[in-house]
Amino acid sequence: MSAQRQRRQARRDERREELKQAAIEVFHEHGYHAARVSQIVKKVGVAQGTFYLYFEGKQQLFSEIISDFLEMVVTTVASWEPGAIDSREDLREELTRVGLMLTEELLRNELSTAIFFNEAMAVAPEINELIRHFYETLQAMLSDFNRILCQRGLIAPMDFTILGSMTIGMVERVILERVVYGTLKDAEPRAIVDHLIMHFLAGTIEPIGEPASAGQPVALDRTETSDNAAPTEV
Amino acid sequence: MSAQRQRRQARRDERREELKQAAIEVFHEHGYHAARVSQIVKKVGVAQGTFYLYFEGKQQLFSEIISDFLEMVVTTVASWEPGAIDSREDLREELTRVGLMLTEELLRNELSTAIFFNEAMAVAPEINELIRHFYETLQAMLSDFNRILCQRGLIAPMDFTILGSMTIGMVERVILERVVYGTLKDAEPRAIVDHLIMHFLAGTIEPIGEPASAGQPVALDRTETSDNAAPTEV
Amino acid sequence: MSAQRQRRQARRDERREELKQAAIEVFHEHGYHAARVSQIVKKVGVAQGTFYLYFEGKQQLFSEIISDFLEMVVTTVASWEPGAIDSREDLREELTRVGLMLTEELLRNELSTAIFFNEAMAVAPEINELIRHFYETLQAMLSDFNRILCQRGLIAPMDFTILGSMTIGMVERVILERVVYGTLKDAEPRAIVDHLIMHFLAGTIEPIGEPASAGQPVALDRTETSDNAAPTEV
Amino acid sequence: MSAQRQRRQARRDERREELKQAAIEVFHEHGYHAARVSQIVKKVGVAQGTFYLYFEGKQQLFSEIISDFLEMVVTTVASWEPGAIDSREDLREELTRVGLMLTEELLRNELSTAIFFNEAMAVAPEINELIRHFYETLQAMLSDFNRILCQRGLIAPMDFTILGSMTIGMVERVILERVVYGTLKDAEPRAIVDHLIMHFLAGTIEPIGEPASAGQPVALDRTETSDNAAPTEV
DNA sequence: TATGAATGAGCCTTCATTCAT
DNA sequence: AATGAATGAAGGCTCATTCAT
């Protein structure tokens, strides 16, 4: 009895996932508004009505897809471990670890990422709230992180709300270009993460490309850099 | 004759602008897809058909609104004058000038800004292309700027494409929060611009908030940041 | 399974036919352009959307109605059997058979016939092509028939393309008047067919009304007719 | 005063005619329903409103165009002079005269002819009545003609209403093909008229192409026509 | 559970006509 | 007479959702 029930539930979950995956593809290809429920069910090979046995409707499914995505991001970012960080080098390492993990996740969920950035804000107020909440959570997390870092003297004091926004923006646009539009597809994830972290840490003071020199600011005077007209674009 | 023609043209332009403005409000309030042409004309007090004397249709008008917005941004950003910049202090001043100007423009076009960030990517492929083109233009402009700065030894060498994306992201998220969502409404435009520039210049090395100390990095306690020699400011 | 599928298909076909029939009535009553889809569905008692489950749109349905009609005509005309025709009498009999069959079909599809003659050319270029093609087919068929008849010495040589057009015109106007406008509603189909055939065979040489004399031309010379005997009008 | 008034009236008539001519072109090119008043005025180079100074509306203008056409046809057909006709040869000559005159007129008004055949019945009930009336007039005229001819022993007695319809149909389809569709454009007007008349007079008994033999029925037996497999298509 | 036929509200757009100038 | 901006009614079609089977 229970075994049969379990099997049924498993089959149900499977089909649900199939539909959701198909929806992600359709939403990605056409955008939410041009996406048709009929296209989704056709991809899976079930009848129109079946869709409504698994989801309340088109919007609710979209909402769920966005929720999944946001939760994944939050979980990844929240995995940061500030405990053992005592130096800027420690910080750099930890940020690199988290950055690479996030990058990996986003690349794994390329379509959802694209949907999130392109469509999510233009579907319905409820979803906008979801997203606003996400950004607020992210802001709060980053503020906490940065406050800790500041207390430990690892970063300078400043308005951590603004800093949080800047960090989020920096990261998300780079992700957008790399994961969604492929503009930065020549750049290795590692290089991208390095740039993000170095920029977070030192703005445009320190060069990137020679890991050896990382942590040691270049002397920013003309004589030394004059022969560096064509910087090595990583 | 000519006088009458001129008067007509003037009235025509005026009405066109009225309709466009009403459309911006409606698009902002309901989003592109939920916006109704009927709501737009009702706001202006003209008949439904009149709308089509001035615009080809709902989407074309949206497209025009986005174009206007993008052009405004590009024009503002392009007003940067790299000529006389010889030091990081010069750079800071020039960036501040442009940053404040952009902020001012965006605040003046608050609704368009919101529409751009929330809706623009989810309307139609043609508009997406418009926007992609915009970002590419921006990227190219920033890359050029940074290359020049780098040649002058004002910033370190790195991948300027990535740097461009980071800068764009940084700026646009802060704008979004401040202008569109009001999250940073407590922060003065000036403070925001300062943060953006300082972060661009020095990441999280330098404190912000005490203009007096600007340019002098906080002592990032060397014991804690042992291998992190205090960066020498220009 | 298969049984249910069959039942469904049957019901589907039935409803499709119902809608098409209703459309024929509406097109006939109001003409294509003034016909409303809403009138069609109301006649059948289904929702507006249902219409689009069965037809791509108003024009496509019209096109289908015309196609059906044209096919019916071509099929009927093509049923002619020239094999055993060796004399003008044989020819007359065969033409009579086909003529009556066509008349019967057209009377059975009175409304479609009317729609064809009144509306079909004024709906859309695609439909015009359909109709042009129909006439070309008919022309070709008639030319072939007549060439055969000529070879057998049953009709005189002449330009069979012109002859084909004359025959088509002769027939279609008589049909139009009888079936569509009812002008000739006093005339029995048989009488009409007789007139058509006799006219085709002998122009105005032979009288119609006394089948007995058929085949024997009235003496058409001046002396006999100069005294102007009042002919008995049938 | 009166001179000025006359000049004004002349200018008015001229412009009215210009508009009507433009309308004919537009109606011909697009069909009545797809024709736009804006296209008509653009052709003439006047404002939209000007159109309504000369015509009550689009439909009324169409109606007028059709009326002009019908009147032209009736006038031409009515020019027949039965007075001196005493023999079938006389008849043939008179019919040829009228036939050529009609053909000439129709070729001169090619566009109106096309509009009449393709569009006229599908515009509005009032116009249909106009056309029905036209056909009835034509019918009556032909019936009268034929009755006279019959009385003079030139044609056999039959149902002259049916004969009238047959004649009208014969003529109009040949015209349609030649003038409107160009299918018979290889045939000289004279050849067409000859065919029409010969068919009217003798159906398919007499050959066409050798005017010499006109009036003398070919012997319709196989021996003479057997080697005539490929009749001279005029 | 699955099906898929049926629903029906809702909107963008066109264009003949009007009328103030 | 001429203009041309303004009108506004009207309808084809879509598609998310429901529900009887």
Side-chain angles (χ1 to χ4, degrees):
Chain A
M1 251 345 172
S2 167
Q4 197 189 43
R5 185 169 224 119
Q6 263 190 352
R7 221 176 315 128
R8 269 192 191 156
Q9 186 60 37
R11 191 170 286 177
R12 189 180 166 78
D13 288 352
E14 199 180 335
R15 175 150 288 185
R16 197 173 193 283
E17 210 48 44
E18 254 186 312
L19 279 164
K20 196 192 280 189
Q21 200 52 44
I24 288 173
E25 288 167 27
V26 174
F27 285 145
H28 176 255
E29 189 173 350
H30 302 94
Y32 176 81
H33 286 96
R36 306 293 167 224
V37 172
S38 60
Q39 296 168 324
I40 297 170
V41 296
K42 190 187 288 175
K43 250 185 203 284
V44 178
V46 296
Q48 193 99 341
T50 305
F51 179 87
Y52 293 87
L53 297 176
Y54 294 92
F55 304 99
E56 282 165 41
K58 182 183 168 185
Q59 185 179 308
Q60 182 268 132
L61 169 53
F62 185 84
S63 197
E64 192 174 314
I65 288 169
I66 296 299
S67 277
D68 289 354
F69 175 81
L70 300 181
E71 198 182 320
M72 178 269 282
V73 173
V74 169
T75 303
T76 304
V77 173
S79 80
W80 122 300
E81 290 291 348
I85 297 175
D86 280 324
S87 65
R88 293 202 117 207
E89 187 53 29
D90 286 355
L91 176 55
R92 213 173 60 89
E93 277 169 20
E94 177 59 9
L95 290 178
T96 304
R97 192 185 64 78
V98 175
L100 286 174
M101 201 188 310
L102 181 61
T103 309
E104 198 183 341
E105 283 296 325
L106 293 173
L107 283 169
R108 206 202 318 283
N109 297 282
E110 192 184 329
L111 300 188
S112 296
T113 307
I115 293 170
F116 171 71
F117 283 119
N118 288 335
E119 295 287 323
M121 291 300 296
V123 169
E126 305 94 88
I127 293 175
N128 290 29
E129 273 180 49
L130 211 65
I131 295 173
R132 286 310 305 154
H133 177 70
F134 161 75
Y135 278 114
E136 276 160 24
T137 303
L138 222 53
Q139 271 279 14
M141 285 167 63
L142 293 188
S143 288
D144 287 350
F145 296 168
N146 287 325
R147 224 179 305 279
I148 291 171
L149 295 177
C150 184
Q151 282 167 4
R152 296 189 189 170
L154 298 174
I155 66 172
M158 62 183 74
D159 183 325
F160 293 131
T161 309
I162 298 180
L163 178 60
S165 287
M166 290 191 294
T167 306
I168 290 171
M170 214 164 79
V171 172
E172 75 184 0
R173 171 113 320 246
V174 171
I175 284 166
L176 194 54
E177 295 292 345
R178 164 68 217 229
V179 178
V180 178
Y181 296 119
T183 322
L184 303 175
K185 61 175 171 292
D186 296 334
E188 289 298 311
R190 177 62 202 240
I192 290 174
V193 172
D194 282 348
H195 274 79
L196 282 168
I197 292 168
M198 194 54 77
H199 201 256
F200 173 78
L201 290 175
T204 45
I205 293 178
E206 313 203 17
I208 299 174
E210 306 96 315
S213 74
Q216 294 180 12
V218 254
L220 284 167
D221 68 82
R222 272 162 241 159
T223 44
E224 283 196 26
T225 57
S226 60
D227 49 3
N228 207 351
T232 27
E233 310 244 342
V234 186
Chain B
M1 245 353 170
S2 169
Q4 196 190 45
R5 189 172 216 110
Q6 263 189 354
R7 216 174 322 127
R8 268 196 189 150
Q9 187 59 37
R11 192 169 285 180
R12 192 180 164 79
D13 289 351
E14 200 180 331
R15 176 146 289 184
R16 196 172 194 284
E17 212 47 46
E18 255 184 310
L19 278 164
K20 197 194 277 190
Q21 200 51 45
I24 288 173
E25 288 167 26
V26 174
F27 285 145
H28 177 255
E29 188 174 350
H30 301 94
Y32 176 80
H33 287 96
R36 305 292 165 224
V37 172
S38 60
Q39 296 168 326
I40 296 170
V41 296
K42 192 184 289 173
K43 250 185 202 287
V44 179
V46 296
Q48 192 94 344
T50 305
F51 179 88
Y52 294 89
L53 293 176
Y54 295 92
F55 305 100
E56 282 165 43
K58 183 182 164 184
Q59 184 180 310
Q60 182 266 133
L61 170 52
F62 186 83
S63 196
E64 192 174 313
I65 289 169
I66 296 299
S67 275
D68 288 353
F69 176 81
L70 299 182
E71 200 182 319
M72 179 267 283
V73 172
V74 168
T75 303
T76 305
V77 172
S79 79
W80 124 298
E81 291 290 348
I85 297 174
D86 278 323
S87 64
R88 295 203 115 206
E89 187 53 28
D90 286 354
L91 177 56
R92 215 174 59 88
E93 275 169 21
E94 177 61 8
L95 290 178
T96 303
R97 191 185 65 78
V98 174
L100 285 174
M101 201 189 310
L102 181 61
T103 308
E104 197 183 341
E105 284 294 330
L106 294 172
L107 283 168
R108 205 203 316 285
N109 297 283
E110 191 185 328
L111 300 189
S112 295
T113 307
I115 292 170
F116 171 71
F117 283 118
N118 289 335
E119 294 286 323
M121 290 300 296
V123 168
E126 306 96 85
I127 293 176
N128 290 28
E129 273 180 48
L130 213 65
I131 296 174
R132 287 309 303 156
H133 177 71
F134 162 75
Y135 278 115
E136 276 160 25
T137 303
L138 224 52
Q139 271 279 14
M141 285 167 62
L142 294 188
S143 288
D144 288 347
F145 294 171
N146 287 325
R147 224 179 305 276
I148 291 171
L149 296 178
C150 183
Q151 282 167 3
R152 297 189 189 170
L154 297 173
I155 67 173
M158 63 184 72
D159 184 324
F160 293 131
T161 309
I162 299 179
L163 177 62
S165 288
M166 291 192 294
T167 306
I168 291 171
M170 215 163 77
V171 173
E172 77 183 359
R173 169 101 342 231
V174 171
I175 285 167
L176 195 55
E177 295 292 346
R178 165 68 218 228
V179 178
V180 179
Y181 296 118
T183 323
L184 303 176
K185 63 176 171 292
D186 297 335
E188 288 299 309
R190 176 63 201 240
I192 288 175
V193 171
D194 282 348
H195 274 78
L196 281 169
I197 292 168
M198 194 54 77
H199 200 256
F200 172 78
L201 291 176
T204 46
I205 294 178
E206 311 204 16
I208 299 173
E210 304 98 316
S213 75
Q216 295 179 12
V218 246
L220 282 166
D221 197 328
R222 276 170 215 161
T223 42
E224 287 194 26
T225 62
S226 56
D227 45 5
N228 206 350
T232 36
E233 177 47 27
V234 187
Chain C
M1 247 345 172
S2 169
Q4 196 191 43
R5 189 171 216 112
Q6 264 188 354
R7 216 174 323 127
R8 268 194 189 152
Q9 187 60 39
R11 190 169 287 181
R12 192 179 162 78
D13 289 351
E14 199 179 333
R15 176 146 289 186
R16 195 172 195 284
E17 213 46 46
E18 255 184 310
L19 279 164
K20 197 193 277 190
Q21 201 51 46
I24 288 173
E25 289 166 27
V26 174
F27 285 144
H28 177 255
E29 189 174 350
H30 301 93
Y32 176 80
H33 287 95
R36 304 290 166 226
V37 173
S38 60
Q39 296 168 326
I40 297 171
V41 296
K42 192 185 288 175
K43 251 185 201 289
V44 180
V46 296
Q48 191 95 345
T50 305
F51 179 88
Y52 295 90
L53 293 176
Y54 295 92
F55 306 100
E56 279 163 44
K58 183 182 165 184
Q59 183 180 310
Q60 181 268 134
L61 170 53
F62 185 84
S63 195
E64 192 174 314
I65 289 170
I66 296 300
S67 275
D68 288 353
F69 177 81
L70 299 181
E71 199 182 320
M72 180 268 282
V73 173
V74 168
T75 303
T76 305
V77 173
S79 79
W80 122 298
E81 289 291 347
I85 297 174
D86 279 322
S87 64
R88 294 202 118 211
E89 188 53 31
D90 285 354
L91 178 56
R92 215 176 56 91
E93 277 169 19
E94 176 61 8
L95 289 179
T96 304
R97 191 185 65 78
V98 175
L100 286 175
M101 200 189 310
L102 182 61
T103 308
E104 196 183 341
E105 284 295 330
L106 294 172
L107 283 168
R108 206 203 316 285
N109 297 283
E110 192 186 328
L111 300 188
S112 294
T113 307
I115 292 170
F116 170 71
F117 283 118
N118 289 335
E119 295 286 324
M121 290 300 296
V123 168
E126 305 95 85
I127 293 175
N128 290 29
E129 273 179 49
L130 213 64
I131 296 173
R132 287 309 304 155
H133 176 72
F134 162 76
Y135 279 114
E136 276 160 26
T137 302
L138 224 53
Q139 271 279 15
M141 284 167 62
L142 293 188
S143 288
D144 288 348
F145 295 170
N146 288 326
R147 225 179 303 277
I148 291 170
L149 296 178
C150 183
Q151 283 168 3
R152 297 189 190 169
L154 297 173
I155 67 172
M158 63 185 73
D159 184 324
F160 294 131
T161 309
I162 299 179
L163 178 61
S165 287
M166 290 192 295
T167 307
I168 291 172
M170 216 164 76
V171 174
E172 76 183 0
R173 168 103 339 233
V174 171
I175 284 166
L176 195 55
E177 295 293 345
R178 163 69 217 228
V179 178
V180 178
Y181 296 118
T183 323
L184 305 175
K185 62 176 173 291
D186 297 335
E188 287 299 308
R190 177 63 202 239
I192 290 175
V193 171
D194 281 349
H195 274 77
L196 281 168
I197 292 167
M198 194 54 78
H199 201 256
F200 172 78
L201 290 175
T204 46
I205 294 177
E206 312 202 18
I208 299 175
E210 305 96 317
S213 75
Q216 295 178 12
V218 258
L220 282 167
D221 68 82
R222 277 161 232 161
T223 44
E224 282 196 28
T225 57
S226 60
D227 50 6
N228 217 343
T232 32
E233 301 246 353
V234 186
Chain D
M1 247 353 170
S2 167
Q4 198 189 44
R5 184 169 225 121
Q6 265 189 352
R7 219 174 319 127
R8 268 194 193 154
Q9 186 59 38
R11 191 170 287 177
R12 188 180 165 80
D13 289 352
E14 198 180 333
R15 175 150 289 184
R16 196 173 193 282
E17 211 47 46
E18 253 186 312
L19 278 164
K20 197 193 278 189
Q21 200 51 46
I24 288 173
E25 288 166 26
V26 174
F27 285 145
H28 176 255
E29 188 174 352
H30 302 93
Y32 176 81
H33 286 96
R36 307 293 167 223
V37 172
S38 60
Q39 296 169 324
I40 297 170
V41 296
K42 190 187 287 175
K43 252 187 202 286
V44 179
V46 296
Q48 193 96 341
T50 306
F51 179 88
Y52 293 87
L53 296 175
Y54 295 92
F55 304 99
E56 281 165 42
K58 180 183 169 185
Q59 184 179 308
Q60 181 267 134
L61 170 53
F62 186 84
S63 197
E64 192 174 316
I65 288 168
I66 296 299
S67 277
D68 289 353
F69 176 82
L70 299 181
E71 198 182 320
M72 179 268 282
V73 173
V74 169
T75 304
T76 305
V77 173
S79 80
W80 125 296
E81 290 292 346
I85 296 175
D86 280 323
S87 67
R88 294 203 116 209
E89 188 53 29
D90 286 355
L91 177 56
R92 213 173 61 88
E93 277 169 19
E94 176 61 7
L95 289 178
T96 303
R97 193 187 62 80
V98 175
L100 286 174
M101 200 188 310
L102 182 61
T103 308
E104 198 183 342
E105 284 296 327
L106 293 172
L107 283 168
R108 206 203 316 285
N109 298 281
E110 192 184 328
L111 300 188
S112 296
T113 308
I115 293 170
F116 170 71
F117 283 118
N118 290 333
E119 295 287 323
M121 292 300 296
V123 169
E126 306 95 88
I127 292 175
N128 290 28
E129 273 178 49
L130 212 65
I131 296 172
R132 287 309 305 154
H133 176 72
F134 161 76
Y135 279 114
E136 276 159 25
T137 303
L138 223 53
Q139 271 279 15
M141 284 167 62
L142 294 187
S143 287
D144 288 349
F145 294 169
N146 287 325
R147 224 180 307 277
I148 292 170
L149 295 177
C150 185
Q151 282 167 4
R152 297 188 190 170
L154 297 173
I155 66 172
M158 61 184 76
D159 183 324
F160 293 131
T161 311
I162 298 180
L163 178 60
S165 288
M166 290 192 295
T167 307
I168 291 172
M170 213 163 79
V171 173
E172 75 184 359
R173 172 120 313 253
V174 170
I175 284 166
L176 195 54
E177 294 293 344
R178 165 68 217 227
V179 178
V180 179
Y181 296 119
T183 322
L184 304 175
K185 62 175 171 292
D186 297 334
E188 289 297 310
R190 177 62 203 240
I192 289 174
V193 172
D194 282 348
H195 274 78
L196 281 168
I197 293 167
M198 193 53 79
H199 201 254
F200 173 78
L201 291 175
T204 45
I205 294 178
E206 313 204 17
I208 299 175
E210 304 96 318
S213 74
Q216 294 177 12
V218 255
L220 282 168
D221 67 82
R222 274 163 234 163
T223 44
E224 281 198 29
T225 57
S226 59
D227 50 4
N228 207 351
T232 28
E233 311 245 343
V234 185

